[in-house]
Amino acid sequence: MNRIQKFFTKIKGLLVHRFFQVLLFLILGLFAYGLMFSNVKPEKVQVELFKPAEQTIRSTKTVEDTYKTEQEKEEISKQVADVYTLKKEYAKNKVDLISSIFDSAIEVNKETDPERDKKEEGKEDKKEPLKTDAQKVSILKEKLTDEVNRNIEDSVFLALVQADEDELEIAKDSTITAVNNVMSSRIAASDVENAKKKVVEELGYMSINSDMKKASNSLARTAIIQNVFFDKDKTEEQRRKAVESVEPIRILQGQIIVEENQLVDRDVYRQLELAGFLSTESTIYPYIGLLLFILLTFGAFYYFFSFSISKRDNKYNQLLIFSLVFILSMATMKTVSVLADLKNSNLEYIFPGAMAAMLIKILLNDKLAVAMIILLGSYGTIIFNGDTPGNLDFSMGLYIIFGGLAAIIILSRPNFKSKVLIAGLLMSLINMAFVFSLIFIMDGHYTKMEYLYYAAAAIGSGVGSAVLTMGLLPFFEAGFGILSSMKLIELSNPNHPLLRKILIEAPGTYHHSVMVANLAESACEAIGSNGLLARVGSYYHDIGKTKRPHFFIENQMNEENPHDRLQPETSRDIIIAHAVDGGEMLRSHKFPKEIVDIAEQHHGTTLLKFFYHKAKKQDDTTVEACYRYPGPRAKMKEVAVIGIADSVEAAVRSMQHPTPEKIEELVSFIIQDRIQDGQFDECDITMRELSIVKHSLCESLNGIFHSRIEYPEPDKLGQKVKE
């Protein structure tokens, strides 16, 4: 074990105690707090009225500009026109008045014409004296009101009493029609005179005598009055609605109040005061907010690591790896943000945010990878806020989360763990698409060079994440003794020295190992275990046989079996030694512990039945325990499956005519035998999973040993060809 592994082993030993677990989370929280402290620290600005600003100042919060809001309300109120109401009843009243005047004149004429009464009664009476015009005018006035009499000239009354009934009827109809037409339209105070002229024009076409026409004109002019009046209540209501529709004018969070070297006039100075930049009072709320945010996030992770991960060694390994990746990612994030601020550019898009997701995905699992990328995305909204307190760059947070989730999905595809660089290139395209989607949504106007810059930053982020992942993986694997997928794929290379050693020195064992690998991988994937680990472990599980290859039947090519000449105990020692020798060989070549365990545990403590029974025949006192493998028994599901596949493959290969029924019977027997022998007592494999393993092995073996067409013998085949 190297120094790095020893160091982390000591730390894991400390993490057994809850005190050190809490201490680790406190250290991580303080680290994050220290990095984000400057991003929430209230900004102190030095500005003077009517002097240029020394720096560009953005608002740290959204605040209403009450002064400008009131100004806007006053302006809108002034733009609302006065409301005037049309009094429609005025037209009817004036028409009724004109009608009453004419009707009264007609009545007076009837009352003062005695000849007409006599004619109607058909009799003659004493002759009454005729009424003078003055008397008639007096009678007419008595029928009308004093107000009407004051407004109408005597000449009009005289013309009315002198006219006959037909003329009065004609004048009445014409005058009423003209007055009604003119009074139906809107007549303001300034339009009264024009309306009177209009009514006179309409009466100009009457075919009556001039005196009567003048009287009608006078009556019509008298009837035309203003019918539109200012409505104070409605005007106030319209202005109130207009004022209420005014949206409050706000200084938005992140809005530039004053740019560098811009003159600070009274309006700018007032906005700075509203935004709180001129306040001399210090506040601790940003620090408290950041502290609460960190406590919430790390509290959730502490709960997860404390209660959601059951395996102790795995828990502490995951906790340390998660912590290191978090520290590394946060330090990188802060560095990129500082450089972006110094260069005053959008350099933050080059941040390799997916690196953390890829490392956690490969080294640990998907759940922790998603949790990591969400944590980094939320902290990124603060770190990439341009050192403007109160601002949260949500677009950058989304960019980090989206890129990280894309990396996790890409690496979830088969064989992509071995192609991290290709995954990085795919992420570059996804990053580019996401960045441009943000730019287009915000409707920013950029030059071609700026678009190229964003594209280059997105590509740099994806490729950089992949390169950093590939560079850091070996350090984590070495430091924590982790068997990653990339390491497994490296060990599965046929050109590996040990695999070539098996192929050259024990070709039968090599073929057997490949067959076992195919069977074990399918079975492990069927129960949700690590199929790749099962395959690679199967390649090396019999590496110990290379010490004495010819003592194993698969390597005896038409040769005499040396065990026929050996004592059972000697044969026992040779056979059992291959598991121990295999573990030692793998250990000497610094193979991962999981592969070493597979070599040592795949036989567990099973009995060498053939040699035991052979020894039993020679000596009845033979002890069964002496003919068992030393173990240990299988600790992992992968080891249990490989052990079953190893026995099944050898047994089926020795069958003369394997059929699906015989294969299923054999597989069931081997699994049941191992269950009864207690070989799975130290492994968490379930009966349901063993049933799935059995089904998978039978399917694979039926595919390998399927029935073939029985071809005729060579002589018969030649004869058929000739025919």
Side-chain angles (χ1 to χ4, degrees), residues 520-534 636-641 683-685 689 693:
E521 182 181 34
S522 299
C524 281
E525 288 180 350
I527 62 174
S529 293
N530 192 336
L532 183 58
L533 173 60
M636 301 185 299
K637 293 180 182 180
E638 291 81 3
V639 180
V641 173
C683 176
D684 59 354
I685 194 166
E689 289 172 335
V693 168

Side-chain angles (χ1 to χ4, degrees), residues 534-580:
R535 169 171 286 279
V536 178
S538 298
Y539 287 157
Y540 294 94
H541 80 288
D542 278 342
I543 185 67
K545 292 181 178 180
T546 57
K547 281 197 172 184
R548 305 175 190 86
H550 298 293
F551 284 89
F552 297 90
I553 192 168
E554 67 265 22
N555 297 314
Q556 296 167 6
M557 306 299 180
N558 299 320
E559 297 177 5
E560 182 185 359
N561 190 341
H563 291 289
D564 294 339
R565 296 179 281 103
L566 297 176
Q567 291 297 317
E569 59 269 18
T570 305
S571 296
R572 173 202 64 192
D573 294 339
I574 293 172
I575 299 299
I576 288 176
H578 88 275
V580 179

Side-chain angles (χ1 to χ4, degrees), residues 36-47:
M36 294 186 284
F37 181 83
S38 62
N39 298 96
V40 300
K41 183 180 179 182
E43 190 175 9
K44 299 295 182 181
V45 297
Q46 298 294 330
V47 293

Side-chain angles (χ1 to χ4, degrees), residues 171-242:
K172 172 186 173 182
D173 292 340
S174 299
T175 306
I176 289 174
T177 301
V179 169
N180 187 61
N181 289 340
V182 175
M183 285 294 291
S184 296
S185 59
R186 299 176 68 88
I187 303 173
S190 57
D191 297 330
V192 172
E193 193 59 36
N194 291 332
K196 289 183 177 182
K197 290 180 181 179
K198 185 176 180 181
V199 77
V200 171
E201 290 176 0
E202 288 197 15
L203 291 172
Y205 301 101
M206 285 192 305
S207 56
I208 54 178
N209 63 66
S210 59
D211 291 337
M212 191 65 235
K213 183 178 289 188
K214 288 180 181 179
S216 296
N217 289 341
S218 179
L219 287 173
R221 286 178 60 86
T222 304
I224 301 302
I225 60 173
Q226 176 185 354
N227 63 359
V228 174
F229 298 90
F230 172 70
D231 193 326
K232 182 180 179 181
D233 293 336
K234 287 187 177 181
T235 302
E236 291 298 327
E237 183 181 357
Q238 291 296 324
R239 286 175 181 169
R240 180 179 56 79
K241 288 181 179 179

